[in-house]
Amino acid sequence: MHNNKLLTLALSVALLLAGCAAQTQHGARHAAGEIPGPNIVFILADDMGYGDLGCYGQGRIKTPHIDQLAREGMRFLAHYAGSTVCAPSRCALMTGMHTGHASVRGNGATGNGSPLPDSALTVAEVMKRAGYATAMIGKWGLGNDDTSGRPDRQGFDFYYGVLDQILAHNFYPEFLLKNGRKENLRNEVVYKDSTHWTKGKGSYATKKVDYAHDLFIKEAISFIDENRSKPFFLYLPLTVPHNNGEAPVGERQEVPELGIYANHPYLTEASAAIQQETRAYAAMVTRMDRDVGRIMEKLRSLKIDKNTIVIFASDNGPMPYSHQFSAFFSSNAQFSGYKTDLLEGGIRVPLIVRWPGKVKAGSVSSHPSAFWDFLPTMAEIAGQKPPAGIDGISYLPTLLGQPQTPHPHLYWEYENQQAVRLGIWKGIRVHPTQISPMKLRLYNLAEDISEQVDVADQFPDVVSQMQAIMEQEHVYSPLYPFKSEVSRNRP
Protein backbone atom coordinates (compact mmCIF):
# COMPACT_ATOMS: atom_id res chain seq x y z
CA MET A 1 0.00 0.00 0.00
CA HIS A 2 2.84 2.32 1.02
CA ASN A 3 4.61 1.65 -2.31
CA ASN A 4 1.39 2.37 -4.19
CA LYS A 5 1.06 5.72 -2.44
CA LEU A 6 4.64 6.58 -3.34
CA LEU A 7 4.01 5.57 -6.94
CA THR A 8 0.85 7.69 -7.05
CA LEU A 9 2.71 10.67 -5.58
CA ALA A 10 5.55 10.23 -8.06
CA LEU A 11 3.11 10.10 -10.96
CA SER A 12 1.34 13.20 -9.67
CA VAL A 13 4.59 15.12 -9.42
CA ALA A 14 5.63 13.95 -12.88
CA LEU A 15 2.30 15.06 -14.34
CA LEU A 16 2.58 18.41 -12.57
CA LEU A 17 6.09 18.98 -13.87
CA ALA A 18 5.03 17.92 -17.35
CA GLY A 19 2.12 20.32 -17.15
CA CYS A 20 4.39 23.17 -16.05
CA ALA A 21 6.83 22.37 -18.83
CA ALA A 22 3.98 22.29 -21.35
CA GLN A 23 2.66 25.59 -20.01
CA THR A 24 6.14 27.14 -20.29
CA GLN A 25 6.47 25.79 -23.81
CA HIS A 26 2.98 27.09 -24.61
CA GLY A 27 3.99 30.57 -23.40
CA ALA A 28 7.18 30.52 -25.42
CA ARG A 29 5.35 29.41 -28.56
CA HIS A 30 2.74 32.10 -28.01
CA ALA A 31 5.44 34.75 -27.64
CA ALA A 32 7.09 33.47 -30.80
CA GLY A 33 3.79 33.68 -32.67
CA GLU A 34 3.67 29.93 -33.28
CA ILE A 35 0.23 29.37 -31.77
CA PRO A 36 -3.07 31.20 -32.21
CA GLY A 37 -3.60 34.69 -30.97
CA PRO A 38 -6.98 36.44 -30.95
CA ASN A 39 -10.33 35.06 -32.02
CA ILE A 40 -11.54 36.19 -35.44
CA VAL A 41 -15.14 37.03 -36.38
CA PHE A 42 -15.56 38.07 -40.02
CA ILE A 43 -19.07 39.32 -40.86
CA LEU A 44 -19.85 39.69 -44.57
CA ALA A 45 -22.94 41.50 -45.87
CA ASP A 46 -24.36 40.48 -49.27
CA ASP A 47 -24.77 43.16 -51.97
CA MET A 48 -24.61 46.04 -49.49
CA GLY A 49 -23.22 49.27 -50.87
CA TYR A 50 -20.32 51.36 -49.56
CA GLY A 51 -22.77 54.09 -48.60
CA ASP A 52 -25.34 52.01 -46.72
CA LEU A 53 -23.77 52.50 -43.27
CA GLY A 54 -24.03 55.56 -41.09
CA CYS A 55 -20.27 55.58 -40.55
CA TYR A 56 -19.82 55.81 -44.34
CA GLY A 57 -22.29 58.67 -44.73
CA GLN A 58 -25.72 57.00 -44.77
CA GLY A 59 -28.43 59.28 -43.40
CA ARG A 60 -31.63 57.32 -43.98
CA ILE A 61 -30.80 53.81 -42.74
CA LYS A 62 -29.98 53.36 -39.06
CA THR A 63 -26.84 51.30 -38.27
CA PRO A 64 -25.86 52.28 -34.70
CA HIS A 65 -24.06 49.04 -33.78
CA ILE A 66 -21.86 48.93 -36.87
CA ASP A 67 -21.18 52.64 -36.44
CA GLN A 68 -20.07 51.84 -32.89
CA LEU A 69 -17.78 49.15 -34.30
CA ALA A 70 -16.17 51.85 -36.45
CA ARG A 71 -15.80 54.22 -33.50
CA GLU A 72 -14.01 51.47 -31.58
CA GLY A 73 -11.82 50.36 -34.49
CA MET A 74 -10.50 51.29 -37.93
CA ARG A 75 -12.55 52.27 -40.96
CA PHE A 76 -10.98 51.65 -44.39
CA LEU A 77 -11.77 54.15 -47.14
CA ALA A 78 -10.14 52.37 -50.08
CA HIS A 79 -10.95 48.70 -49.56
CA TYR A 80 -12.06 46.58 -52.49
CA ALA A 81 -14.08 43.40 -52.87
CA GLY A 82 -12.57 40.41 -54.61
CA SER A 83 -15.00 40.83 -57.49
CA THR A 84 -18.22 42.55 -58.43
CA VAL A 85 -20.38 39.44 -57.88
CA CYS A 86 -20.71 36.87 -55.10
CA ALA A 87 -18.74 33.71 -55.83
CA PRO A 88 -15.46 35.14 -57.20
CA SER A 89 -15.42 37.79 -54.49
CA ARG A 90 -15.69 35.09 -51.82
CA CYS A 91 -13.06 32.99 -53.59
CA ALA A 92 -10.59 35.90 -53.40
CA LEU A 93 -11.39 36.33 -49.71
CA MET A 94 -10.85 32.65 -48.93
CA THR A 95 -7.79 31.96 -51.13
CA GLY A 96 -5.79 35.20 -51.31
CA MET A 97 -5.91 35.15 -55.13
CA HIS A 98 -7.26 37.91 -57.36
CA THR A 99 -9.59 37.03 -60.23
CA GLY A 100 -6.85 36.90 -62.83
CA HIS A 101 -5.39 33.87 -61.02
CA ALA A 102 -8.28 32.48 -58.97
CA SER A 103 -10.08 29.23 -59.74
CA VAL A 104 -13.50 30.93 -59.39
CA ARG A 105 -13.98 34.05 -61.52
CA GLY A 106 -17.75 34.16 -62.01
CA ASN A 107 -21.05 32.84 -60.69
CA GLY A 108 -21.81 29.27 -61.64
CA ALA A 109 -19.63 28.66 -64.69
CA THR A 110 -19.81 24.91 -64.06
CA GLY A 111 -23.61 24.74 -63.84
CA ASN A 112 -23.88 23.74 -60.17
CA GLY A 113 -22.18 26.56 -58.36
CA SER A 114 -18.50 27.43 -58.55
CA PRO A 115 -16.64 24.87 -56.43
CA LEU A 116 -13.18 25.47 -55.04
CA PRO A 117 -10.83 22.71 -56.21
CA ASP A 118 -9.08 20.30 -53.84
CA SER A 119 -5.85 22.17 -54.53
CA ALA A 120 -7.19 25.42 -53.04
CA LEU A 121 -5.66 26.45 -49.72
CA THR A 122 -8.14 28.57 -47.81
CA VAL A 123 -7.83 30.93 -44.87
CA ALA A 124 -9.80 28.37 -42.84
CA GLU A 125 -7.14 25.74 -43.50
CA VAL A 126 -4.42 28.19 -42.48
CA MET A 127 -6.25 29.04 -39.24
CA LYS A 128 -7.00 25.39 -38.53
CA ARG A 129 -3.30 24.58 -38.79
CA ALA A 130 -2.70 27.30 -36.23
CA GLY A 131 -5.02 25.57 -33.78
CA TYR A 132 -8.21 27.53 -34.38
CA ALA A 133 -11.72 26.08 -34.29
CA THR A 134 -13.28 27.11 -37.62
CA ALA A 135 -16.89 27.65 -38.70
CA MET A 136 -18.74 28.93 -41.76
CA ILE A 137 -22.29 30.06 -41.01
CA GLY A 138 -24.47 31.61 -43.71
CA LYS A 139 -24.09 31.66 -47.51
CA TRP A 140 -21.07 29.80 -48.88
CA GLY A 141 -21.35 29.91 -52.69
CA LEU A 142 -18.05 28.09 -53.36
CA GLY A 143 -19.20 24.51 -53.83
CA ASN A 144 -22.30 22.45 -53.20
CA ASP A 145 -22.63 19.36 -51.02
CA ASP A 146 -21.28 16.92 -53.62
CA THR A 147 -18.24 18.96 -54.67
CA SER A 148 -14.65 19.55 -53.61
CA GLY A 149 -15.66 23.03 -52.51
CA ARG A 150 -17.85 21.93 -49.59
CA PRO A 151 -16.82 23.94 -46.51
CA ASP A 152 -15.66 20.96 -44.44
CA ARG A 153 -13.41 19.99 -47.36
CA GLN A 154 -11.91 23.48 -47.31
CA GLY A 155 -10.87 23.77 -43.68
CA PHE A 156 -14.08 24.41 -41.75
CA ASP A 157 -14.79 22.19 -38.74
CA PHE A 158 -18.44 23.23 -38.78
CA TYR A 159 -20.80 24.73 -41.31
CA TYR A 160 -24.43 25.76 -41.26
CA GLY A 161 -26.50 27.53 -43.86
CA VAL A 162 -26.81 27.50 -47.64
CA LEU A 163 -24.09 26.20 -49.94
CA ASP A 164 -25.80 26.99 -53.27
CA GLN A 165 -26.05 30.72 -53.85
CA ILE A 166 -29.26 30.44 -55.90
CA LEU A 167 -30.98 28.63 -53.03
CA ALA A 168 -29.69 31.46 -50.83
CA HIS A 169 -31.91 33.96 -52.68
CA ASN A 170 -34.89 32.72 -50.63
CA PHE A 171 -34.79 34.05 -47.05
CA TYR A 172 -37.51 31.55 -46.08
CA PRO A 173 -36.02 28.38 -47.59
CA GLU A 174 -37.29 24.83 -47.41
CA PHE A 175 -34.17 23.69 -45.54
CA LEU A 176 -30.69 24.62 -44.38
CA LEU A 177 -27.62 22.39 -44.16
CA LYS A 178 -25.72 21.59 -40.99
CA ASN A 179 -22.53 19.63 -41.68
CA GLY A 180 -24.17 17.91 -44.64
CA ARG A 181 -27.44 17.14 -42.89
CA LYS A 182 -30.67 18.77 -44.01
CA GLU A 183 -32.45 20.81 -41.36
CA ASN A 184 -36.03 21.08 -42.64
CA LEU A 185 -37.75 24.36 -41.87
CA ARG A 186 -41.44 25.20 -41.44
CA ASN A 187 -41.66 27.33 -44.56
CA GLU A 188 -43.69 26.32 -47.62
CA VAL A 189 -41.76 26.98 -50.82
CA VAL A 190 -42.56 27.24 -54.52
CA TYR A 191 -39.69 26.52 -56.93
CA LYS A 192 -39.26 27.94 -60.41
CA ASP A 193 -39.36 25.34 -63.18
CA SER A 194 -36.33 24.09 -65.09
CA THR A 195 -36.83 26.60 -67.92
CA HIS A 196 -36.12 29.49 -65.57
CA TRP A 197 -32.52 30.74 -65.53
CA THR A 198 -32.14 29.32 -62.02
CA LYS A 199 -32.75 25.83 -63.48
CA GLY A 200 -35.34 24.85 -60.89
CA LYS A 201 -33.41 26.15 -57.87
CA GLY A 202 -34.91 29.61 -57.59
CA SER A 203 -37.79 29.81 -55.14
CA TYR A 204 -39.95 31.92 -52.85
CA ALA A 205 -42.05 31.04 -49.83
CA THR A 206 -45.83 31.10 -49.69
CA LYS A 207 -45.73 30.33 -45.97
CA LYS A 208 -43.06 32.27 -44.09
CA VAL A 209 -42.10 31.04 -40.62
CA ASP A 210 -38.34 30.50 -40.27
CA TYR A 211 -36.17 33.40 -41.43
CA ALA A 212 -32.76 32.08 -42.48
CA HIS A 213 -30.83 35.16 -41.37
CA ASP A 214 -32.15 34.85 -37.82
CA LEU A 215 -31.10 31.20 -37.73
CA PHE A 216 -27.59 32.11 -38.91
CA ILE A 217 -27.23 34.60 -36.05
CA LYS A 218 -28.54 32.11 -33.50
CA GLU A 219 -26.05 29.47 -34.69
CA ALA A 220 -23.19 32.00 -34.73
CA ILE A 221 -23.85 32.99 -31.12
CA SER A 222 -23.97 29.31 -30.14
CA PHE A 223 -20.63 28.68 -31.87
CA ILE A 224 -19.03 31.58 -29.99
CA ASP A 225 -20.46 30.31 -26.72
CA GLU A 226 -19.25 26.73 -27.30
CA ASN A 227 -15.74 27.82 -28.30
CA ARG A 228 -15.20 30.66 -25.83
CA SER A 229 -12.30 28.90 -24.11
CA LYS A 230 -10.21 28.32 -27.24
CA PRO A 231 -9.22 30.37 -30.28
CA PHE A 232 -11.83 30.38 -33.04
CA PHE A 233 -12.33 31.73 -36.55
CA LEU A 234 -15.98 32.41 -37.35
CA TYR A 235 -16.74 33.29 -40.97
CA LEU A 236 -20.28 34.72 -41.05
CA PRO A 237 -21.32 35.48 -44.66
CA LEU A 238 -24.89 36.75 -44.25
CA THR A 239 -27.54 36.91 -46.98
CA VAL A 240 -28.85 40.40 -46.18
CA PRO A 241 -29.57 42.71 -47.93
CA HIS A 242 -29.47 40.66 -51.17
CA ASN A 243 -32.94 40.43 -52.68
CA ASN A 244 -34.91 37.39 -53.82
CA GLY A 245 -35.39 38.02 -57.52
CA GLU A 246 -37.66 35.00 -57.80
CA ALA A 247 -40.27 36.44 -55.41
CA PRO A 248 -43.22 38.54 -56.62
CA VAL A 249 -42.54 42.23 -57.27
CA GLY A 250 -42.92 44.14 -54.04
CA GLU A 251 -41.78 41.16 -51.95
CA ARG A 252 -38.23 40.72 -53.17
CA GLN A 253 -36.57 42.35 -50.15
CA GLU A 254 -37.58 39.67 -47.67
CA VAL A 255 -37.69 40.64 -44.01
CA PRO A 256 -40.05 39.59 -41.17
CA GLU A 257 -40.93 43.15 -40.19
CA LEU A 258 -40.34 46.70 -41.35
CA GLY A 259 -39.81 48.04 -37.83
CA ILE A 260 -39.10 51.77 -37.73
CA TYR A 261 -39.51 51.98 -41.52
CA ALA A 262 -43.10 50.69 -41.64
CA ASN A 263 -44.70 54.09 -42.06
CA HIS A 264 -41.76 56.04 -43.41
CA PRO A 265 -42.67 58.02 -46.56
CA TYR A 266 -39.87 56.57 -48.69
CA LEU A 267 -40.03 57.19 -52.44
CA THR A 268 -43.60 58.49 -52.35
CA GLU A 269 -43.44 59.16 -56.08
CA ALA A 270 -42.62 55.50 -56.83
CA SER A 271 -44.98 52.55 -57.19
CA ALA A 272 -46.34 50.90 -54.07
CA ALA A 273 -44.17 47.84 -54.80
CA ILE A 274 -40.98 49.90 -54.98
CA GLN A 275 -41.94 51.81 -51.85
CA GLN A 276 -42.41 48.50 -50.02
CA GLU A 277 -39.08 47.12 -51.19
CA THR A 278 -37.36 50.38 -50.27
CA ARG A 279 -38.63 50.16 -46.70
CA ALA A 280 -37.76 46.46 -46.57
CA TYR A 281 -34.20 47.09 -47.80
CA ALA A 282 -33.64 49.57 -44.99
CA ALA A 283 -35.20 47.13 -42.51
CA MET A 284 -32.86 44.35 -43.67
CA VAL A 285 -29.76 46.48 -43.14
CA THR A 286 -30.97 47.64 -39.73
CA ARG A 287 -31.83 44.06 -38.71
CA MET A 288 -28.30 43.01 -39.65
CA ASP A 289 -26.96 45.93 -37.62
CA ARG A 290 -29.03 44.81 -34.62
CA ASP A 291 -27.51 41.35 -34.91
CA VAL A 292 -23.97 42.71 -35.11
CA GLY A 293 -24.84 44.29 -31.78
CA ARG A 294 -26.03 40.93 -30.44
CA ILE A 295 -22.74 39.30 -31.44
CA MET A 296 -20.77 42.06 -29.74
CA GLU A 297 -22.89 41.68 -26.60
CA LYS A 298 -22.19 37.93 -26.53
CA LEU A 299 -18.44 38.56 -26.82
CA ARG A 300 -18.61 41.10 -23.99
CA SER A 301 -20.69 38.87 -21.75
CA LEU A 302 -18.11 36.09 -22.16
CA LYS A 303 -15.33 38.63 -21.49
CA ILE A 304 -13.57 37.74 -24.73
CA ASP A 305 -14.35 40.84 -26.79
CA LYS A 306 -10.94 42.37 -26.04
CA ASN A 307 -9.25 39.27 -27.44
CA THR A 308 -11.46 39.06 -30.53
CA ILE A 309 -10.91 40.79 -33.85
CA VAL A 310 -14.29 41.69 -35.36
CA ILE A 311 -14.28 42.52 -39.07
CA PHE A 312 -17.21 43.77 -41.11
CA ALA A 313 -17.35 44.10 -44.92
CA SER A 314 -19.62 43.60 -47.95
CA ASP A 315 -18.99 41.19 -50.82
CA ASN A 316 -19.60 43.72 -53.65
CA GLY A 317 -21.60 46.80 -54.53
CA PRO A 318 -25.41 47.16 -54.51
CA MET A 319 -27.67 45.48 -57.06
CA PRO A 320 -28.20 47.37 -60.33
CA TYR A 321 -31.83 46.27 -60.69
CA SER A 322 -32.70 47.84 -57.35
CA HIS A 323 -31.18 51.14 -58.49
CA GLN A 324 -34.33 53.13 -57.77
CA PHE A 325 -33.91 52.77 -54.03
CA SER A 326 -30.13 52.29 -54.19
CA ALA A 327 -29.98 55.81 -55.63
CA PHE A 328 -32.43 57.03 -53.00
CA PHE A 329 -30.17 55.75 -50.23
CA SER A 330 -26.95 56.66 -52.13
CA SER A 331 -25.95 53.04 -51.55
CA ASN A 332 -22.89 53.39 -53.77
CA ALA A 333 -22.01 56.75 -52.18
CA GLN A 334 -20.30 59.06 -54.66
CA PHE A 335 -19.21 56.22 -56.93
CA SER A 336 -20.50 55.20 -60.36
CA GLY A 337 -21.59 51.65 -61.08
CA TYR A 338 -23.28 48.80 -59.29
CA LYS A 339 -22.87 45.06 -58.84
CA THR A 340 -21.57 43.45 -62.09
CA ASP A 341 -19.54 46.62 -62.89
CA LEU A 342 -15.83 47.09 -62.29
CA LEU A 343 -16.43 50.77 -61.66
CA GLU A 344 -15.83 51.84 -58.07
CA GLY A 345 -19.51 51.40 -57.17
CA GLY A 346 -19.30 47.72 -58.03
CA ILE A 347 -16.12 46.85 -56.13
CA ARG A 348 -15.29 49.44 -53.47
CA VAL A 349 -16.77 48.25 -50.17
CA PRO A 350 -16.74 49.15 -46.49
CA LEU A 351 -14.21 47.46 -44.21
CA ILE A 352 -14.25 47.95 -40.45
CA VAL A 353 -11.80 46.23 -38.08
CA ARG A 354 -12.16 46.32 -34.29
CA TRP A 355 -9.29 44.96 -32.15
CA PRO A 356 -9.06 46.60 -28.72
CA GLY A 357 -5.57 47.49 -27.61
CA LYS A 358 -4.14 46.91 -31.08
CA VAL A 359 -6.22 48.94 -33.53
CA LYS A 360 -6.58 52.59 -32.58
CA ALA A 361 -10.19 53.48 -31.84
CA GLY A 362 -11.75 55.86 -34.35
CA SER A 363 -8.88 55.50 -36.82
CA VAL A 364 -9.26 55.75 -40.59
CA SER A 365 -7.07 54.26 -43.32
CA SER A 366 -6.77 55.22 -46.99
CA HIS A 367 -4.49 52.26 -47.71
CA PRO A 368 -5.74 50.58 -50.95
CA SER A 369 -6.43 46.96 -50.02
CA ALA A 370 -8.57 44.10 -51.28
CA PHE A 371 -10.20 40.83 -50.27
CA TRP A 372 -7.15 38.82 -51.30
CA ASP A 373 -5.24 40.54 -48.48
CA PHE A 374 -7.40 38.87 -45.82
CA LEU A 375 -5.64 35.48 -45.91
CA PRO A 376 -2.08 36.78 -45.44
CA THR A 377 -3.30 39.18 -42.74
CA MET A 378 -4.91 36.36 -40.77
CA ALA A 379 -1.90 34.12 -41.32
CA GLU A 380 0.41 36.76 -39.87
CA ILE A 381 -1.87 37.29 -36.88
CA ALA A 382 -1.97 33.53 -36.25
CA GLY A 383 1.81 33.15 -36.62
CA GLN A 384 1.53 31.15 -39.84
CA LYS A 385 3.26 31.51 -43.18
CA PRO A 386 0.82 32.40 -45.97
CA PRO A 387 0.72 30.08 -49.00
CA ALA A 388 3.33 30.77 -51.65
CA GLY A 389 2.24 32.47 -54.83
CA ILE A 390 -0.83 34.32 -53.53
CA ASP A 391 -1.63 37.88 -54.57
CA GLY A 392 -2.45 39.28 -51.14
CA ILE A 393 -0.31 41.45 -48.88
CA SER A 394 -0.98 41.50 -45.14
CA TYR A 395 -2.54 44.73 -43.92
CA LEU A 396 -1.62 43.95 -40.30
CA PRO A 397 0.90 46.84 -40.28
CA THR A 398 -1.91 49.23 -41.20
CA LEU A 399 -4.04 47.86 -38.38
CA LEU A 400 -1.20 48.37 -35.91
CA GLY A 401 -0.34 51.86 -37.16
CA GLN A 402 2.98 50.74 -38.63
CA PRO A 403 4.56 51.33 -42.08
CA GLN A 404 2.66 49.34 -44.69
CA THR A 405 3.96 47.64 -47.84
CA PRO A 406 1.66 48.86 -50.62
CA HIS A 407 0.40 46.92 -53.61
CA PRO A 408 2.15 47.91 -56.84
CA HIS A 409 -1.35 47.71 -58.34
CA LEU A 410 -4.74 46.02 -57.84
CA TYR A 411 -6.34 43.92 -60.58
CA TRP A 412 -9.83 42.53 -61.30
CA GLU A 413 -11.53 40.74 -64.14
CA TYR A 414 -15.14 39.70 -64.55
CA GLU A 415 -16.74 38.24 -67.68
CA ASN A 416 -15.34 40.53 -70.39
CA GLN A 417 -14.15 43.36 -68.18
CA GLN A 418 -10.69 44.06 -66.77
CA ALA A 419 -9.78 46.77 -64.29
CA VAL A 420 -6.59 48.01 -62.65
CA ARG A 421 -5.97 50.52 -59.89
CA LEU A 422 -2.48 52.01 -60.13
CA GLY A 423 -1.98 54.76 -57.57
CA ILE A 424 -4.44 57.51 -58.37
CA TRP A 425 -5.28 55.89 -61.72
CA LYS A 426 -8.08 53.47 -62.57
CA GLY A 427 -8.20 51.72 -65.93
CA ILE A 428 -11.07 49.65 -67.35
CA ARG A 429 -11.37 47.83 -70.66
CA VAL A 430 -13.98 45.52 -72.17
CA HIS A 431 -13.15 42.63 -74.49
CA PRO A 432 -15.08 42.67 -77.77
CA THR A 433 -16.53 39.56 -79.39
CA GLN A 434 -14.41 39.94 -82.50
CA ILE A 435 -10.68 40.58 -82.53
CA SER A 436 -10.22 44.35 -82.59
CA PRO A 437 -8.34 46.99 -80.62
CA MET A 438 -9.67 47.27 -77.08
CA LYS A 439 -10.28 50.81 -75.88
CA LEU A 440 -9.09 51.36 -72.32
CA ARG A 441 -10.90 53.99 -70.28
CA LEU A 442 -8.70 55.85 -67.81
CA TYR A 443 -9.84 57.82 -64.75
CA ASN A 444 -7.96 59.96 -62.26
CA LEU A 445 -9.52 58.91 -58.94
CA ALA A 446 -7.87 61.79 -57.09
CA GLU A 447 -9.86 64.28 -59.16
CA ASP A 448 -12.71 62.16 -60.50
CA ILE A 449 -13.83 59.62 -57.89
CA SER A 450 -17.11 59.14 -59.78
CA GLU A 451 -15.23 57.99 -62.93
CA GLN A 452 -17.01 60.38 -65.24
CA VAL A 453 -14.16 61.76 -67.36
CA ASP A 454 -12.08 59.42 -69.52
CA VAL A 455 -8.56 60.92 -69.74
CA ALA A 456 -6.94 58.06 -71.68
CA ASP A 457 -6.02 60.28 -74.65
CA GLN A 458 -4.17 62.67 -72.35
CA PHE A 459 -1.99 60.05 -70.64
CA PRO A 460 -0.84 57.45 -73.21
CA ASP A 461 2.05 56.31 -71.00
CA VAL A 462 -0.32 55.45 -68.15
CA VAL A 463 -2.59 53.63 -70.62
CA SER A 464 0.39 51.56 -71.79
CA GLN A 465 1.23 50.68 -68.18
CA MET A 466 -2.36 49.65 -67.56
CA GLN A 467 -2.48 47.45 -70.64
CA ALA A 468 0.78 45.75 -69.68
CA ILE A 469 -0.56 45.01 -66.17
CA MET A 470 -3.77 43.56 -67.63
CA GLU A 471 -1.80 41.24 -69.88
CA GLN A 472 0.54 40.29 -67.04
CA GLU A 473 -2.13 39.55 -64.41
CA HIS A 474 -4.58 37.57 -66.55
CA VAL A 475 -4.01 33.82 -66.71
CA TYR A 476 -6.28 32.12 -69.23
CA SER A 477 -9.13 30.05 -67.75
CA PRO A 478 -11.16 27.68 -69.96
CA LEU A 479 -14.11 28.10 -67.57
CA TYR A 480 -14.01 31.90 -67.74
CA PRO A 481 -12.63 32.94 -71.16
CA PHE A 482 -12.89 36.49 -72.46
CA LYS A 483 -14.92 36.94 -75.66
CA SER A 484 -11.74 37.93 -77.45
CA GLU A 485 -10.12 34.64 -76.38
CA VAL A 486 -13.10 32.66 -77.69
CA SER A 487 -12.78 34.56 -80.97
CA ARG A 488 -9.17 33.42 -81.22
CA ASN A 489 -10.27 29.81 -80.57
CA ARG A 490 -7.73 29.67 -77.80
CA PRO A 491 -7.31 26.09 -76.49
Side-chain angles (χ1 to χ4, degrees), residues 75-86:
R75 183 167 54 96
F76 283 65
L77 301 182
H79 189 67
Y80 291 91
S83 181
T84 188
V85 295
C86 299

Side-chain angles (χ1 to χ4, degrees), residues 460-490:
D461 291 346
V462 178
V463 169
S464 295
Q465 280 184 276
M466 291 283 187
Q467 290 172 331
I469 292 168
M470 289 176 178
E471 296 297 331
Q472 166 194 317
E473 296 297 340
H474 169 68
V475 173
Y476 173 73
S477 168
L479 289 176
Y480 306 95
F482 292 139
K483 286 182 179 179
S484 59
E485 291 175 323
V486 173
S487 300
R488 296 189 192 105
N489 294 318
R490 183 170 182 170

